């Protein structure tokens, strides 16, 4: 609903997003400022997203709250509705997915529900843009009411109500009558440290006053004497909301088809079963990769030709204008050529991968991936939501790092951030595929060649996933010790994806955003690479000197100094690693493109490459420092240079160790 109203994309199921999204829309000539809170089930917070939603509703004084419910599982959502109504005065209840409810023959009596709740209840189908205007009609009515809005109040057990009433008189002296005294006092009885901190920021430390502390202690002792221990009291308060939600659900929702969820449950059995869940998951992932790689080839070539044609025109203009070579060569052959390379190689696969990824999200499959992998990550003392961020990393590691916001625990979020680089992004796929095609499939040709390449690529990806598990386990037992946290993840109903909207929002929200960051980092890197390749010291360029220095260490890892230098200089964008390598081998002054793999293979073999070199490079491309865009994102997400450096060191050290072991084994067997 929010996406349609303000034309931007946010996650649409609890456990997906943990921050507020803001936007403005105009209805009936009036401007409305909307804040989309993280999806949650309760304001009695147990997770970061629930804390964010609770604090905004309870302490930011919104003019009104619109609670969006799922018509296919309304009873579960009514628990949240009742808690929001207790915390704020003006509430509009939106029952979404009315079309899905109709298909499943679920009848929702909106009038009865509105009468019970004593607040407006609207039925909408957000995907089809039905009923959205009525929301703003109800909001205007609520805002224009002169008298205070009164709606249903959940009643607790008699002993709890007595304690709340007793506290209200004392608390009123410190926070004033205009505050929601009933809610404040109820929360004092069951508050955790997080809520007390939020209360202190908003109302001051009134609960630390001696009179309030003493009265609160007396009321809790009296409740304990009646059997309401701390845990029993919390359960009693939660039960009051759940029982009332069940009562309202029974009166206003009719399930005409008792087997309405059979289709979803059959699909869940297929997608989440230990027998079929993992094979389907890997097949779908493999299909996404194959479509991305195959589909990106032609547009990438067209984009490359267009951008390099423009480079030729820029060069013609510079020569025509008689500009000094020292001025235009760094700009054209340094900055522009690197940017052209990054855009032509990076944009097409991202423009394919992210829409495919979003289609799986829209269909409802991504939460099932998290469910399937939760057990694996739990064994590593990590969080199941890391599965989602890992999958996003296949498109772009920077996007995967940003996606780690969905993980509640700071410890588990750091594990996910540090290990995200172990899955190859779209920038590394072309490099890995090229090396596999040149050195590892032998004399295979035709369909078998494509199949063998796909199998080897899948093996590389699986190895990256295994390393993610291994390093997550190591981190959780060393610098990030802790017990894996539980998390609530809603398995949304399966729905037909809206292809057009998915393509637009994934390209605008993810592809162009990530590409923009990459361009900012790649531009100065292009200038630096050109300087190294064109400044000579003695009889060699700075680039050759650097490669010679790195050569002994590179050969220890099964590579050479040129390869290591290409990875270092390619840190701004993995797409330029091979061009830098070819530039160094051919002793040219700018990035070099060779489209024919046979020609490229000959150049590499002439410079000492074997299948061992190819294997080492694939392993190192899988495990080395994150690209500059990802490093910048890690710094922004963690607000820490330390964790950014750790995120660089962990995959790099892992890559060095694995490559050393691989090269040593090859030497021991006489292959290298």
């Amino acid at each position: 609903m929010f996406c349609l109203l303000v034309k931007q994309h946010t996650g649409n199921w609890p456990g997906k997003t943990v921050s507020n999204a803001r936007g403005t829309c105009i209805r009936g000539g009036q401007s409305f400022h909307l804040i989309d809170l993280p999806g949650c089930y309760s304001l009695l917070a147990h997770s970061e997203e629930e804390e964010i939603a609770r604090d905004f509703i309870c302490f930011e004084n919104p003019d009104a709250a619109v609670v969006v419910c799922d018509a296919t599982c309304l009873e579960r959502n009514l628990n949240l509705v009742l808690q929001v109504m207790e915390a704020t005065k003006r509430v509009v209840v939106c029952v979404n997915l009315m079309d899905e409810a109709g298909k499943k023959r679920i009848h929702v009596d909106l009038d009865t529900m509105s009468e019970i709740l004593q607040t407006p209840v609207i039925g909408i189908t957000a995907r089809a843009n039905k009923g959205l205007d009525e929301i703003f009609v109800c909001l205007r009515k609520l805002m224009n009411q002169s008298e205070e809005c009164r709606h249903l109040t959940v009643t607790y057990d008699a002993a709890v109500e007595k304690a709340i009433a007793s506290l209200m008189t004392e608390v009123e002296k410190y926070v004033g009558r205009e505050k929601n005294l009933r809610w404040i006092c109820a929360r004092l009885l069951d508050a955790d440290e997080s809520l007390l901190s939020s209360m202190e920021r908003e109302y001051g430390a009134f609960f630390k006053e001696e009179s309030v502390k003493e009265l609160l202690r007396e009321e809790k002792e009296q409740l304990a004497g009646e059997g309401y221990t701390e845990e029993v009291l919390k359960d009693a308060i939660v039960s009051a909301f759940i029982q009332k939600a069940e009562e309202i659900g029974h009166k206003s929702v009719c399930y005409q088809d008792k087997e309405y969820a059979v289709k979803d449950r059959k699909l869940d059995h297929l997608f989440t079963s230990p027998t079929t869940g993992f094979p389907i998951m890997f097949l779908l992932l493999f299909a996404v990769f194959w479509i991305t790689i195959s589909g990106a080839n032609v547009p990438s070539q067209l984009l490359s030709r267009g951008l390099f044609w423009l480079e030729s025109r820029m060069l013609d203009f510079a020569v025509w204008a008689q500009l000094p070579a020292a001025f235009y060569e760094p700009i054209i052959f340094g900055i522009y050529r690197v940017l052209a390379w990054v855009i032509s190689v990076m944009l097409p696969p991202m423009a394919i991968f992210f829409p495919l990824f979003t289609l799986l999200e829209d269909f409802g499959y991504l939460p099932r991936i998290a469910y399937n992998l939760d057990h694996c990550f739990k064994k590593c003392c990590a969080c199941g939501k890391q599965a989602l961020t890992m999958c996003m990393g296949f498109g772009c590691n920077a996007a995967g790092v940003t996606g780690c916001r969905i993980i509640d625990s700071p410890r588990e979020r750091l594990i996910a951030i540090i290990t995200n680089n172990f899955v190859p992004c779209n920038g590394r796929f072309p490099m890995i595929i090229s090396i596999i095609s040149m050195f590892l499939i032998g004399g295979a040709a035709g369909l078998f060649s494509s199949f063998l390449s796909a199998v080897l690529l899948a093996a590389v990806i699986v190895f990256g996933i295994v390393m993610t598990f291994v390093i997550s386990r190591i981190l959780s037992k060393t610098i990030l010790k802790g017990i894996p946290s539980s998390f609530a993840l809603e398995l949304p109903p399966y729905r037909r994806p809206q292809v057009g909207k998915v393509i637009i929002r994934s390209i605008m929200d993810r592809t162009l955003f990530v590409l923009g960051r990459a361009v900012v980092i790649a531009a100065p890197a292009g200038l630096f690479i050109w300087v190294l390749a064109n400044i000579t010291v003695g009889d060699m360029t700075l680039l050759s000197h650097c490669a010679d220095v790195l050569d002994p260490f590179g050969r220890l890892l099964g590579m050479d100094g040129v390869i290591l230098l290409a990875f270092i200089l390619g840190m701004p964008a993995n797409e330029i690693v091979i061009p830098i390598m070819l530039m160094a081998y051919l002793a040219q002054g700018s990035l070099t493109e060779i489209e024919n793999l046979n020609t490229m293979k000959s150049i590499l073999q002439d410079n000492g490459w074997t299948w061992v070199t190819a294997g080492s490079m694939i392993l190192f491309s899988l495990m080395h420092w994150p690209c500059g865009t990802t490093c910048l994102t890690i710094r922004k997400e963690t607000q820490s240079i330390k964790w950014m450096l750790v995120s660089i060191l962990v995959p790099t050290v892992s890559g060095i160790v694995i490559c050393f072991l691989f090269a040593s084994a090859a030497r021991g067997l006489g292959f290298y």
Side-chain angles (χ1 to χ4, degrees), residues 545-556:
H545 281 295
C546 293
D548 285 349
V549 170
L550 293 170
D551 196 65
F553 184 62
R555 296 198 178 278
L556 193 65

Side-chain angles (χ1 to χ4, degrees), residues 521 571 625-636 644 648:
I521 293 173
M571 186 174 181
W625 46 85
C627 70
T629 308
T630 304
C631 290
L632 188 68
T633 305
I634 293 171
R635 170 68 180 85
K636 182 179 179 182
M644 182 188 74
I648 293 172

Side-chain angles (χ1 to χ4, degrees), residues 360-381:
L360 291 176
E361 176 186 347
D362 223 32
F363 173 61
Y365 182 68
L366 286 191
R368 274 80 184 177
I369 292 180
Y371 176 85
N372 287 339
L373 292 177
D374 178 52
H375 182 65
C376 299
F377 279 107
K378 184 179 179 181
K379 283 188 173 181
C380 302
C381 296

Side-chain angles (χ1 to χ4, degrees), residues 264-314:
D264 279 9
R265 297 295 76 80
K266 284 182 178 179
L267 287 174
D268 275 341
H269 181 72
L270 184 67
F271 290 143
T272 61
S273 163
T275 307
T276 58
F278 279 90
I280 290 174
M281 182 173 66
F282 284 115
L283 283 173
L284 278 174
L285 199 60
F286 181 77
V288 169
F289 293 146
W290 183 80
I291 293 170
T292 300
I293 294 164
S294 301
N297 286 335
V298 173
S300 185
Q301 289 174 2
L302 292 174
L303 196 55
S304 176
R305 289 171 187 168
L307 291 171
F308 282 100
W309 175 87
L310 183 59
E311 178 191 288
S312 298
R313 304 291 75 76
M314 292 169 63

Side-chain angles (χ1 to χ4, degrees), residues 189-368:
L189 291 173
D190 71 345
D192 57 17
E193 289 300 320
S194 167
L195 181 54
L196 290 176
S197 298
S198 299
M199 278 189 176
E200 185 172 358
R201 285 195 301 271
E202 180 66 18
Y203 306 131
F206 70 92
F207 52 85
K208 295 181 180 178
E209 298 289 340
E210 282 302 321
S211 58
V212 176
K213 283 173 63 177
E214 181 63 24
L215 182 58
L216 183 60
R217 185 185 61 78
E218 290 176 2
E219 293 299 333
K220 284 189 174 182
E221 285 180 355
Q222 188 167 344
L223 285 169
E226 297 182 37
Y228 289 92
T229 61
E230 185 175 337
E231 288 301 318
V232 172
L233 177 60
K234 287 180 180 290
D235 289 343
I237 290 174
V238 171
S239 297
F241 288 106
I242 293 175
Q243 289 168 8
K244 195 64 179 179
E246 289 176 350
E247 179 187 327
I248 297 170
H250 291 156
K251 291 180 180 179
S252 55
V253 182
C254 175
Y255 298 92
Q256 296 171 331
D257 181 3
K258 300 300 182 182
E259 297 184 347
Y260 71 94
V262 169
K263 183 180 177 182
D264 279 9
R265 297 295 76 80
K266 284 182 178 179
L267 287 174
D268 275 341
H269 181 72
L270 184 67
F271 290 143
T272 61
S273 163
T275 307
T276 58
F278 279 90
I280 290 174
M281 182 173 66
F282 284 115
L283 283 173
L284 278 174
L285 199 60
F286 181 77
V288 169
F289 293 146
W290 183 80
I291 293 170
T292 300
I293 294 164
S294 301
N297 286 335
V298 173
S300 185
Q301 289 174 2
L302 292 174
L303 196 55
S304 176
R305 289 171 187 168
L307 291 171
F308 282 100
W309 175 87
L310 183 59
E311 178 191 288
S312 298
R313 304 291 75 76
M314 292 169 63
L315 181 60
D316 291 342
F317 173 79
V319 173
W320 173 81
Q322 297 183 347
L323 297 174
F327 173 75
Y328 69 76
E329 285 185 356
I331 295 174
I332 296 176
F333 298 136
I335 296 173
Y336 179 82
R337 183 166 289 188
V338 167
L339 289 179
W341 211 295
V342 169
I343 292 170
S344 62
V345 176
M346 194 174 183
L347 180 57
M350 283 202 306
I352 296 173
F353 178 86
F354 283 132
L356 290 175
F357 191 81
T358 311
L359 282 172
L360 291 176
E361 176 186 347
D362 223 32
F363 173 61
Y365 182 68
L366 286 191
R368 274 80 184 177

